[in-house]
């Protein structure tokens, strides 16, 4: 019976966004810790949809939106865009997508992001995937990323590290106090990092199989 009860509880804990039930995993860690790289692996192996807050903001700049210039200036300066802008983008992306399980990468980035998202959407993360990586390694990765990002220069990188330490780490500490953080050593090679990530998603994914075998027994 345990597995059925556990599965039912898991179902009840899923959050409601307007009329859609969704499962959300927040993916956090410093700039260049490998969030995007590992999210791509989780999408491929576990069928999640990857929503990167940074990617959504960059797309908003390209779309010619009225907020474009403000967002561009904040990204160039490593600052955090006001929550209402980022939350609207996330909310729209979730509502427009047919999937019901999402990796939200690079969000919440500060206490304002966290509290506003919870208030507006009612969504609580299933867990928080935290990529722990040394600053030295993150700086090396960002300087050789070569994706043409305007914020991958040493001046902006230093600002992003400062914002991460001052504003983003407290959010991770908040979720840690609630027992939600799953910390991964992200300094290792990407294949090894994914080995640790995979182990976290496998139990979630195996729940329906357990229910089926229970029912048919
Ligand atoms: N474990 C790893 N070892 C070495 N290089 C890695 C590792 N993971 C990712 N990289 C490389 O480091 C760079 C940054 O990775 P990625 O873009 O995934 O980081 P991120 O956390 O999403 O960064 P940002 O917060 O700036 O978006 C990329 O060039 C990626 O290929
Ligand atoms: N919640 C967020 C996430 C990102 N930003 C801005 O985008 C920049 C790039 O983010 P990445 O996750 O792609 O590294 C980031 O430095 C911020 O300027 C944000 O404002 N709020
Ligand atoms: Mg990224």
């Amino acid at each position: 019976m345990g597995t059925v009860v556990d599965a039912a509880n898991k179902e009840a804990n899923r959050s409601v966004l307007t009329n859609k039930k969704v499962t959300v995993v927040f993916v956090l860690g410093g700039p260049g810790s490998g969030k995007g790289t590992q999210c791509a692996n989780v999408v491929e192996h576990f069928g999640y949809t990857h929503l990167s807050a940074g990617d959504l903001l960059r797309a908003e700049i390209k779309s010619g939106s009225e907020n474009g210039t403000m967002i561009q200036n904040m990204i160039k300066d490593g600052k955090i865009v006001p929550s209402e802008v980022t939350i609207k983008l996330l909310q729209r992306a979730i509502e427009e997508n047919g999937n019901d399980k999402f990796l939200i990468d690079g969000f919440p980035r500060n206490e304002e992001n966290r509290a506003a998202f919870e208030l507006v959407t009612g969504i609580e993360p299933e867990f928080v995937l935290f990529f722990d990586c040394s600053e030295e390694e993150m700086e090396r990765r960002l300087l050789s990323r070569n994706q043409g990002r305007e914020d991958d220069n040493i001046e902006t990188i230093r600002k992003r590290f400062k914002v991460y330490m001052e504003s983003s780490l407290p959010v991770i500490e908040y979720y840690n106090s609630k027992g939600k953080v799953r910390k991964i050593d992200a300094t290792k090679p990407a294949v090894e990092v994914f080995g640790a990530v995979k182990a976290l998603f496998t139990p979630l994914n195996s729940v329906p199989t357990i229910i089926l075998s229970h029912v048919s027994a």
Side-chain angles (χ1 to χ4, degrees):
M1 270 318 271
T3 53
V4 175
V5 171
D6 289 348
N9 283 342
K10 197 171 279 298
E11 181 69 24
N13 283 335
R14 282 172 145 204
S15 308
V16 180
L17 172 77
T18 58
N19 59 356
K20 185 175 173 182
K21 279 181 169 186
V22 292
T23 299
V24 160
V25 174
F26 287 148
V27 182
L28 302 178
S33 58
K35 301 181 294 295
T37 302
Q38 296 303 331
C39 282
N41 289 331
V42 174
V43 166
E44 190 187 330
H45 287 78
F46 298 101
Y48 276 71
T49 292
H50 174 207
L51 299 178
S52 154
D55 286 351
L56 289 169
L57 290 167
R58 284 182 285 273
E60 190 67 359
I61 298 170
K62 278 201 183 140
S63 77
S65 126
E66 56 178 353
N67 285 322
T69 307
M70 178 273 289
I71 296 171
Q72 188 168 27
N73 287 335
M74 296 204 82
I75 289 181
K76 265 192 211 156
D77 215 17
K79 289 185 178 148
I80 298 171
V81 172
S83 299
E84 56 168 296
V85 173
T86 316
I87 290 170
K88 258 189 209 142
L89 296 174
L90 285 169
Q91 203 166 0
R92 192 169 64 201
I94 291 170
E95 281 168 354
E96 286 175 354
N97 197 292
N99 204 348
D100 66 351
K101 45 187 191 174
F102 296 89
L103 300 169
I104 301 193
D105 160 4
F107 185 98
R109 206 69 154 226
N110 61 10
E111 175 57 22
E112 189 211 3
N113 272 184
R114 185 201 68 71
F117 184 79
E118 207 173 290
L119 193 73
V120 172
T121 69
I123 293 176
E124 283 249 7
E126 193 76 19
F127 62 87
V128 175
L129 192 53
F130 168 39
F131 291 113
D132 187 29
C133 193
S134 70
E135 209 167 279
E136 192 190 14
E137 174 66 13
M138 293 193 290
E139 184 179 307
R140 205 177 5 251
R141 290 180 189 174
L142 292 174
L143 288 175
S144 56
R145 180 155 55 182
N146 259 335
Q147 287 175 1
R149 274 180 54 165
E150 280 192 281
D151 54 352
D152 280 350
N153 59 78
I154 194 62
E155 197 189 334
T156 311
I157 287 169
R158 297 254 154 89
K159 289 179 181 169
R160 290 157 73 196
F161 284 159
K162 191 165 185 287
V163 168
Y164 170 64
M165 297 297 285
E166 289 177 359
S167 304
S168 309
L169 271 183
V171 174
I172 295 164
E173 277 155 18
Y174 167 84
Y175 284 118
N176 196 37
S177 75
K178 298 186 89 184
K180 294 240 170 192
V181 171
R182 308 290 178 266
K183 180 169 153 180
I184 303 277
D185 179 0
T187 310
K188 292 182 175 165
V191 172
E192 282 182 47
V193 175
F194 186 55
V197 169
K198 208 191 239 175
L200 291 173
F201 282 87
T202 304
L204 267 183
N205 250 31
S206 65
V207 168
T209 317
I210 294 165
I211 294 169
L212 279 179
S213 61
H214 199 88
V215 169
S216 62

